Amino acid sequence: MLGTLKRMSSTGRAVIGRPRGFDADAALDRALEVFWRQGYEGASLSDLTEAMGINKTSMYAAFGNKRDLFGKVLARYAAVDMAYARDALAAPTARKVAETFLRENAKAVTMPGRPPGCLSIQGGLSCGPDNAEVTETLAQARKGGEVAMRDRFRRAIEDGDLAPENDPDDLARYVMTVSEGLAVHASAGATREELARAVEIALRAFP
């Protein structure tokens, strides 16, 4: 583990700073993997700092406490690992939105070099009452994705791309339910090919 780098302030007092060569994004990626594999409660500070290559003092200085760090990890996850969701919402038709999202989701939850499944589900599955806020934060993040998809399907109805008898709330909930199921099955060992076949079956129900 890298030690803590100290520098001298203008008053001559030692100031605790980051380790030499510290890469914040790389550190967040390593913390992300710990939270992903072990869940929020299962990830100890020692596990996190060891993976990040810094000590606890440096972690607090760079990222705040464990809850703060988890928030930054979620933002990193949304920006990098969930980029495919933004691409899907930009697809030209509602059908293409669902196809892109679910097919790319099947790839994302079986990505080589990443833990299987989805951080937003596994991160808070086993949280007790003291960390109920973490579970709620993750649930709200998933709900935000569902709302964005619902709004996209509403626009599709307004544009005449989807027939008006389709309920955008139901369609969005359906797509998100399938995607969350893919993540759960991936964490249990389902292969990318198996999930891809499940996606093709699920898409038959989409208008």
Side-chain angles (χ1 to χ4, degrees), residues 24-101:
D25 285 342
L28 283 176
D29 285 339
R30 292 191 287 269
L32 186 155
E33 183 161 338
V34 174
F35 282 126
W36 198 334
R37 290 188 185 281
Q38 299 174 212
Y40 181 82
E41 288 193 351
S44 69
L45 286 177
S46 296
D47 293 332
L48 291 164
T49 53
E50 182 176 356
M52 297 165 77
I54 55 178
N55 61 30
K56 292 179 183 178
T57 303
S58 294
M59 189 198 87
Y60 287 127
F63 302 108
N65 61 25
K66 180 182 175 182
R67 184 66 182 86
D68 295 332
L69 172 64
F70 189 66
K72 292 178 173 64
V73 160
L74 284 181
R76 176 80 173 161
Y77 179 76
V80 178
D81 295 87
M82 292 297 298
Y84 71 88
R86 294 189 295 276
D87 293 339
L89 290 172
T93 66
R95 174 77 187 186
K96 196 65 177 177
V97 169
E99 288 180 358
T100 302
F101 182 77

Side-chain angles (χ1 to χ4, degrees), residues 145-173:
E146 183 178 318
V147 168
M149 190 161 292
R150 177 205 65 191
D151 292 345
R152 177 64 183 83
F153 292 154
R154 281 181 177 173
R155 292 199 307 274
I157 292 173
E158 292 169 359
D159 294 342
D161 173 47
L162 270 178
E165 62 266 22
N166 290 295
D167 187 313
D169 290 276
D170 288 346
L171 287 178
R173 190 173 302 112

